[in-house]
Amino acid sequence: MVADNIRVRYAPSPTGLPHIGNIRTALFNWLFARHYGGKFIVRIEDTDRERLVPGAVEGILEGLEWLGIDWDEGPRVGGDYGSYYQSERLPLYREAADKLIGQGDAYRCYCTRERLDQLRVEQGRNKQALGYDRCCRSLTPEQQRALESEGAPSVVRFAMPDSGVTQLHDLIRDDVEWQNELVDDFILIKSDGFPTYHLAVVTDDHLMQISHVLRAEEWLPSAPRHLQLYRALGYTPPQHGHLPMILGPDRAKLSKRHGATSIMEYRDEGYLPDALRNFMVLLGWSLDDKTEVMPLTTMREGFTLERVGKPAAIFDREKLSWMNGVYIRAMDAGALADAMLPYLERDLPPELLPVDRDYLLRIVPLVQERLKLLAESAEMTAYFFAAQPEYDPANLVQRGATQEETLAALNRAAESLATADFTAPVMEELLRADGEALGLTPRRFFGTLRWAVTGRNVSPPLFETMEVLGRERVAPRLQTAIDRLSQVRSGD
Ligand code: GLU
């Protein structure tokens, strides 16, 4: 592939927050640009005024930034080919439309909505292909003048060739062709004066000197329109590559019910940007058909279109969670503590805040193995912060043990730990000896202690946990356990 002057773009429409599919397109374009040392451009396609969603542009840019996808030209950073907002480029589209009208490749259409609706109904009834019947294509200049003088609203339509084929050599899908007669005379300029996507995208891809259009497969049906526009405008089209679809595990098109849709929901749930990026790059591309976890440098070095597949990619949420766990386990304690902090601040009860970072640094190695989502941070570590974890005192009594035995065990442990050196190996040795002296199996004895100290039956290794909690937290918890269990007894 010629690697000179590679310029690719991500061209989102701000009609909502970006979802996995949109961002996968951004990621592939970005990696392609970075691989070849080209430019990655962000262009906001905001010409569909009815579907604009306030805040969507900010959301899109924030999503890119969060994922570490930087752009060389576009909103905020500017560039030589601006504006990068289509709504600020209207004269350029009008100029293109006028040129097309002037040379007979486009025409004004005055058909009313009622007529078009009626047409669709009739075409449906007669089992004809749906589409504009080119009625206004043959208006005489006099007829047109008359309509204009009545002030009839109009759109501008492209005059598709009515025979022949349009061919695309797609970099991913190979050769595709369309019968021109089956493509209708699509609209270029709407009655509000704004261009349609088709005119705007072709004009801008040309003016911004885009070398490659890499976009989702759902845009493939638009390609013959765009290619005809390039021809009529006398422009050389960029190369095209249509990225494979993304399907849910049930093979239906990816939608909300397959999981969080906006990229920011993934952040809120505690996915790491690096993990999400690694997961997304595998939605249609592979390094070597086997490597799954890889650093960004490897993605960048390996990213070529030859390795983008045709088959649809399956979005597997479990794989994403697994990938997140892999990235979490690979972090050093400091980085993971910093990543967990915002979630702890969000989710811990306010009275437990602020979190002491040094203390958190000691907790991190204990939970790192089991943490899959950062949003689990508070739930997994709350007992480190709470003065006294809540639990049902009946849990202290392990299966096969009596309440007396349990009380004796708690008292003995409290006594031993009152003066012990509070390190895991010392405590373990001491308490194992205590268990033996009491005639309690380690499962029972340590099960009781685990409930008393953490308020749960599963926790990280008990002695390490106690070491991190320290005597100042462990001693009162043992005392509370003794008190509560005594109350349960007296209430019997
Ligand atoms: N604005 C279109 C979108 O929202 C861009 C399609 C294209 O890349 O040509 O996806």
Side-chain angles (χ1 to χ4, degrees), residues 9 11-13 22 25 43 45 197 201 205 213-216 219 226:
R9 77 327 187 256
S13 303
N22 300 138
T25 299
R43 180 176 73 220
E45 304 213 319
Y197 157 68
V201 89
D205 285 344
V213 168
L214 308 178
R215 62 182 171 201
W219 297 103
H226 299 177

PDB file of all heavy atoms in Angstrom, residues 9 11-13 22 25 43 45 197 201 205 213-216 219 226, ligand 1:
ATOM      1  N   ARG A   9     -10.406  10.097   8.195  1.00  0.00           N
ATOM      2  CA  ARG A   9     -11.262  10.904   9.068  1.00  0.00           C
ATOM      3  C   ARG A   9     -12.245  10.022   9.816  1.00  0.00           C
ATOM      4  O   ARG A   9     -12.638   8.948   9.368  1.00  0.00           O
ATOM      5  CB  ARG A   9     -11.945  12.011   8.274  1.00  0.00           C
ATOM      6  CG  ARG A   9     -13.146  11.730   7.379  1.00  0.00           C
ATOM      7  CD  ARG A   9     -13.252  10.457   6.700  1.00  0.00           C
ATOM      8  NE  ARG A   9     -14.314  10.327   5.762  1.00  0.00           N
ATOM      9  CZ  ARG A   9     -15.470   9.645   5.980  1.00  0.00           C
ATOM     10  NH1 ARG A   9     -15.694   9.063   7.137  1.00  0.00           N
ATOM     11  NH2 ARG A   9     -16.379   9.542   5.033  1.00  0.00           N
ATOM     12  N   ALA A  11     -15.970  10.717  11.171  1.00  0.00           N
ATOM     13  CA  ALA A  11     -16.954  11.756  10.853  1.00  0.00           C
ATOM     14  C   ALA A  11     -18.275  11.508  11.566  1.00  0.00           C
ATOM     15  O   ALA A  11     -19.277  11.195  10.932  1.00  0.00           O
ATOM     16  CB  ALA A  11     -17.149  11.800   9.339  1.00  0.00           C
ATOM     17  N   PRO A  12     -18.278  11.617  12.881  1.00  0.00           N
ATOM     18  CA  PRO A  12     -19.513  11.298  13.600  1.00  0.00           C
ATOM     19  C   PRO A  12     -20.605  12.340  13.401  1.00  0.00           C
ATOM     20  O   PRO A  12     -20.320  13.514  13.214  1.00  0.00           O
ATOM     21  CB  PRO A  12     -19.062  11.296  15.068  1.00  0.00           C
ATOM     22  CG  PRO A  12     -17.928  12.260  15.102  1.00  0.00           C
ATOM     23  CD  PRO A  12     -17.219  12.108  13.786  1.00  0.00           C
ATOM     24  N   SER A  13     -21.835  11.863  13.443  1.00  0.00           N
ATOM     25  CA  SER A  13     -22.979  12.777  13.463  1.00  0.00           C
ATOM     26  C   SER A  13     -23.375  12.940  14.932  1.00  0.00           C
ATOM     27  O   SER A  13     -23.552  11.940  15.615  1.00  0.00           O
ATOM     28  CB  SER A  13     -24.150  12.170  12.700  1.00  0.00           C
ATOM     29  OG  SER A  13     -23.747  11.876  11.387  1.00  0.00           O
ATOM     30  N   ASN A  22     -19.482   3.077  16.666  1.00  0.00           N
ATOM     31  CA  ASN A  22     -18.895   4.337  16.185  1.00  0.00           C
ATOM     32  C   ASN A  22     -17.427   4.429  16.553  1.00  0.00           C
ATOM     33  O   ASN A  22     -16.596   4.831  15.760  1.00  0.00           O
ATOM     34  CB  ASN A  22     -19.523   5.563  16.875  1.00  0.00           C
ATOM     35  CG  ASN A  22     -20.996   5.677  16.656  1.00  0.00           C
ATOM     36  OD1 ASN A  22     -21.719   5.992  17.583  1.00  0.00           O
ATOM     37  ND2 ASN A  22     -21.438   5.436  15.440  1.00  0.00           N
ATOM     38  N   THR A  25     -14.957   2.469  14.623  1.00  0.00           N
ATOM     39  CA  THR A  25     -14.582   3.140  13.372  1.00  0.00           C
ATOM     40  C   THR A  25     -13.480   4.173  13.634  1.00  0.00           C
ATOM     41  O   THR A  25     -12.502   4.262  12.887  1.00  0.00           O
ATOM     42  CB  THR A  25     -15.814   3.839  12.753  1.00  0.00           C
ATOM     43  OG1 THR A  25     -16.796   2.844  12.472  1.00  0.00           O
ATOM     44  CG2 THR A  25     -15.461   4.579  11.495  1.00  0.00           C
ATOM     45  N   ARG A  43     -14.217  15.125  12.004  1.00  0.00           N
ATOM     46  CA  ARG A  43     -15.114  16.084  11.353  1.00  0.00           C
ATOM     47  C   ARG A  43     -16.522  15.837  11.885  1.00  0.00           C
ATOM     48  O   ARG A  43     -16.993  14.707  11.905  1.00  0.00           O
ATOM     49  CB  ARG A  43     -15.074  15.859   9.847  1.00  0.00           C
ATOM     50  CG  ARG A  43     -15.980  16.811   9.084  1.00  0.00           C
ATOM     51  CD  ARG A  43     -15.824  16.615   7.596  1.00  0.00           C
ATOM     52  NE  ARG A  43     -16.441  15.394   7.139  1.00  0.00           N
ATOM     53  CZ  ARG A  43     -15.908  14.584   6.214  1.00  0.00           C
ATOM     54  NH1 ARG A  43     -14.745  14.861   5.674  1.00  0.00           N
ATOM     55  NH2 ARG A  43     -16.545  13.502   5.848  1.00  0.00           N
ATOM     56  N   GLU A  45     -20.325  15.885  11.566  1.00  0.00           N
ATOM     57  CA  GLU A  45     -21.318  15.917  10.483  1.00  0.00           C
ATOM     58  C   GLU A  45     -22.682  16.306  11.062  1.00  0.00           C
ATOM     59  O   GLU A  45     -23.521  15.460  11.366  1.00  0.00           O
ATOM     60  CB  GLU A  45     -21.349  14.561   9.778  1.00  0.00           C
ATOM     61  CG  GLU A  45     -19.945  14.202   9.264  1.00  0.00           C
ATOM     62  CD  GLU A  45     -19.902  13.408   7.980  1.00  0.00           C
ATOM     63  OE1 GLU A  45     -20.724  12.491   7.824  1.00  0.00           O
ATOM     64  OE2 GLU A  45     -19.041  13.703   7.141  1.00  0.00           O
ATOM     65  N   TYR A 197     -26.194  14.198   3.860  1.00  0.00           N
ATOM     66  CA  TYR A 197     -24.939  13.517   4.156  1.00  0.00           C
ATOM     67  C   TYR A 197     -24.134  13.261   2.878  1.00  0.00           C
ATOM     68  O   TYR A 197     -22.923  13.503   2.834  1.00  0.00           O
ATOM     69  CB  TYR A 197     -25.272  12.214   4.892  1.00  0.00           C
ATOM     70  CG  TYR A 197     -24.216  11.153   4.799  1.00  0.00           C
ATOM     71  CD1 TYR A 197     -22.977  11.320   5.415  1.00  0.00           C
ATOM     72  CD2 TYR A 197     -24.449   9.973   4.104  1.00  0.00           C
ATOM     73  CE1 TYR A 197     -22.004  10.341   5.322  1.00  0.00           C
ATOM     74  CE2 TYR A 197     -23.486   8.993   4.004  1.00  0.00           C
ATOM     75  CZ  TYR A 197     -22.255   9.177   4.614  1.00  0.00           C
ATOM     76  OH  TYR A 197     -21.301   8.216   4.520  1.00  0.00           O
ATOM     77  N   VAL A 201     -20.488  14.781   2.559  1.00  0.00           N
ATOM     78  CA  VAL A 201     -19.374  13.855   2.790  1.00  0.00           C
ATOM     79  C   VAL A 201     -18.422  13.855   1.590  1.00  0.00           C
ATOM     80  O   VAL A 201     -17.198  13.854   1.737  1.00  0.00           O
ATOM     81  CB  VAL A 201     -19.926  12.441   3.133  1.00  0.00           C
ATOM     82  CG1 VAL A 201     -20.154  11.594   1.913  1.00  0.00           C
ATOM     83  CG2 VAL A 201     -19.027  11.715   4.105  1.00  0.00           C
ATOM     84  N   ASP A 205     -14.724  15.202   1.952  1.00  0.00           N
ATOM     85  CA  ASP A 205     -13.640  14.237   1.780  1.00  0.00           C
ATOM     86  C   ASP A 205     -12.705  14.713   0.665  1.00  0.00           C
ATOM     87  O   ASP A 205     -11.492  14.543   0.751  1.00  0.00           O
ATOM     88  CB  ASP A 205     -14.187  12.823   1.500  1.00  0.00           C
ATOM     89  CG  ASP A 205     -14.753  12.177   2.768  1.00  0.00           C
ATOM     90  OD1 ASP A 205     -14.445  12.679   3.878  1.00  0.00           O
ATOM     91  OD2 ASP A 205     -15.485  11.173   2.667  1.00  0.00           O
ATOM     92  N   VAL A 213     -11.377   6.298   2.974  1.00  0.00           N
ATOM     93  CA  VAL A 213     -12.619   6.362   3.761  1.00  0.00           C
ATOM     94  C   VAL A 213     -12.816   4.983   4.379  1.00  0.00           C
ATOM     95  O   VAL A 213     -13.075   4.006   3.673  1.00  0.00           O
ATOM     96  CB  VAL A 213     -13.813   6.718   2.853  1.00  0.00           C
ATOM     97  CG1 VAL A 213     -15.132   6.502   3.582  1.00  0.00           C
ATOM     98  CG2 VAL A 213     -13.695   8.167   2.379  1.00  0.00           C
ATOM     99  N   LEU A 214     -12.629   4.909   5.674  1.00  0.00           N
ATOM    100  CA  LEU A 214     -12.837   3.635   6.378  1.00  0.00           C
ATOM    101  C   LEU A 214     -14.049   3.831   7.262  1.00  0.00           C
ATOM    102  O   LEU A 214     -14.023   4.648   8.188  1.00  0.00           O
ATOM    103  CB  LEU A 214     -11.618   3.282   7.241  1.00  0.00           C
ATOM    104  CG  LEU A 214     -10.267   3.302   6.518  1.00  0.00           C
ATOM    105  CD1 LEU A 214      -9.135   2.994   7.486  1.00  0.00           C
ATOM    106  CD2 LEU A 214     -10.281   2.296   5.365  1.00  0.00           C
ATOM    107  N   ARG A 215     -15.109   3.149   6.960  1.00  0.00           N
ATOM    108  CA  ARG A 215     -16.332   3.366   7.727  1.00  0.00           C
ATOM    109  C   ARG A 215     -17.110   2.062   7.796  1.00  0.00           C
ATOM    110  O   ARG A 215     -16.783   1.083   7.110  1.00  0.00           O
ATOM    111  CB  ARG A 215     -17.177   4.462   7.079  1.00  0.00           C
ATOM    112  CG  ARG A 215     -17.617   4.092   5.685  1.00  0.00           C
ATOM    113  CD  ARG A 215     -18.410   5.215   5.026  1.00  0.00           C
ATOM    114  NE  ARG A 215     -18.615   4.904   3.629  1.00  0.00           N
ATOM    115  CZ  ARG A 215     -18.892   5.806   2.697  1.00  0.00           C
ATOM    116  NH1 ARG A 215     -19.006   7.068   3.022  1.00  0.00           N
ATOM    117  NH2 ARG A 215     -19.063   5.449   1.446  1.00  0.00           N
ATOM    118  N   ALA A 216     -18.157   2.078   8.603  1.00  0.00           N
ATOM    119  CA  ALA A 216     -18.905   0.851   8.862  1.00  0.00           C
ATOM    120  C   ALA A 216     -19.604   0.368   7.597  1.00  0.00           C
ATOM    121  O   ALA A 216     -19.969   1.149   6.711  1.00  0.00           O
ATOM    122  CB  ALA A 216     -19.921   1.102   9.967  1.00  0.00           C
ATOM    123  N   TRP A 219     -22.672   1.713   5.562  1.00  0.00           N
ATOM    124  CA  TRP A 219     -22.587   2.817   4.594  1.00  0.00           C
ATOM    125  C   TRP A 219     -22.300   2.339   3.182  1.00  0.00           C
ATOM    126  O   TRP A 219     -22.255   3.147   2.250  1.00  0.00           O
ATOM    127  CB  TRP A 219     -21.518   3.825   5.035  1.00  0.00           C
ATOM    128  CG  TRP A 219     -21.874   4.446   6.337  1.00  0.00           C
ATOM    129  CD1 TRP A 219     -21.337   4.140   7.551  1.00  0.00           C
ATOM    130  CD2 TRP A 219     -22.884   5.434   6.589  1.00  0.00           C
ATOM    131  NE1 TRP A 219     -21.941   4.874   8.542  1.00  0.00           N
ATOM    132  CE2 TRP A 219     -22.890   5.673   7.973  1.00  0.00           C
ATOM    133  CE3 TRP A 219     -23.786   6.126   5.765  1.00  0.00           C
ATOM    134  CZ2 TRP A 219     -23.764   6.579   8.566  1.00  0.00           C
ATOM    135  CZ3 TRP A 219     -24.646   7.032   6.356  1.00  0.00           C
ATOM    136  CH2 TRP A 219     -24.634   7.258   7.739  1.00  0.00           C
ATOM    137  N   HIS A 226     -21.950   8.140  -3.793  1.00  0.00           N
ATOM    138  CA  HIS A 226     -20.759   8.978  -3.599  1.00  0.00           C
ATOM    139  C   HIS A 226     -19.844   8.899  -4.815  1.00  0.00           C
ATOM    140  O   HIS A 226     -19.316   9.909  -5.280  1.00  0.00           O
ATOM    141  CB  HIS A 226     -20.023   8.542  -2.334  1.00  0.00           C
ATOM    142  CG  HIS A 226     -20.877   8.687  -1.105  1.00  0.00           C
ATOM    143  ND1 HIS A 226     -20.459   8.298   0.144  1.00  0.00           N
ATOM    144  CD2 HIS A 226     -22.136   9.180  -0.941  1.00  0.00           C
ATOM    145  CE1 HIS A 226     -21.430   8.537   1.021  1.00  0.00           C
ATOM    146  NE2 HIS A 226     -22.451   9.069   0.379  1.00  0.00           N
TER     147      HIS A 226
HETATM  148  N1  GLU B   1     -21.693  10.868   9.605  1.00  0.00           N
HETATM  149  C1  GLU B   1     -21.639   9.471   9.299  1.00  0.00           C
HETATM  150  C2  GLU B   1     -21.856   8.692  10.586  1.00  0.00           C
HETATM  151  O1  GLU B   1     -22.439   9.185  11.455  1.00  0.00           O
HETATM  152  C3  GLU B   1     -20.303   9.157   8.674  1.00  0.00           C
HETATM  153  C4  GLU B   1     -20.322   8.066   7.675  1.00  0.00           C
HETATM  154  C5  GLU B   1     -19.024   8.082   6.899  1.00  0.00           C
HETATM  155  O2  GLU B   1     -17.999   7.833   7.534  1.00  0.00           O
HETATM  156  O3  GLU B   1     -19.036   8.368   5.726  1.00  0.00           O
HETATM  157  O4  GLU B   1     -21.457   7.587  10.763  1.00  0.00           O
END
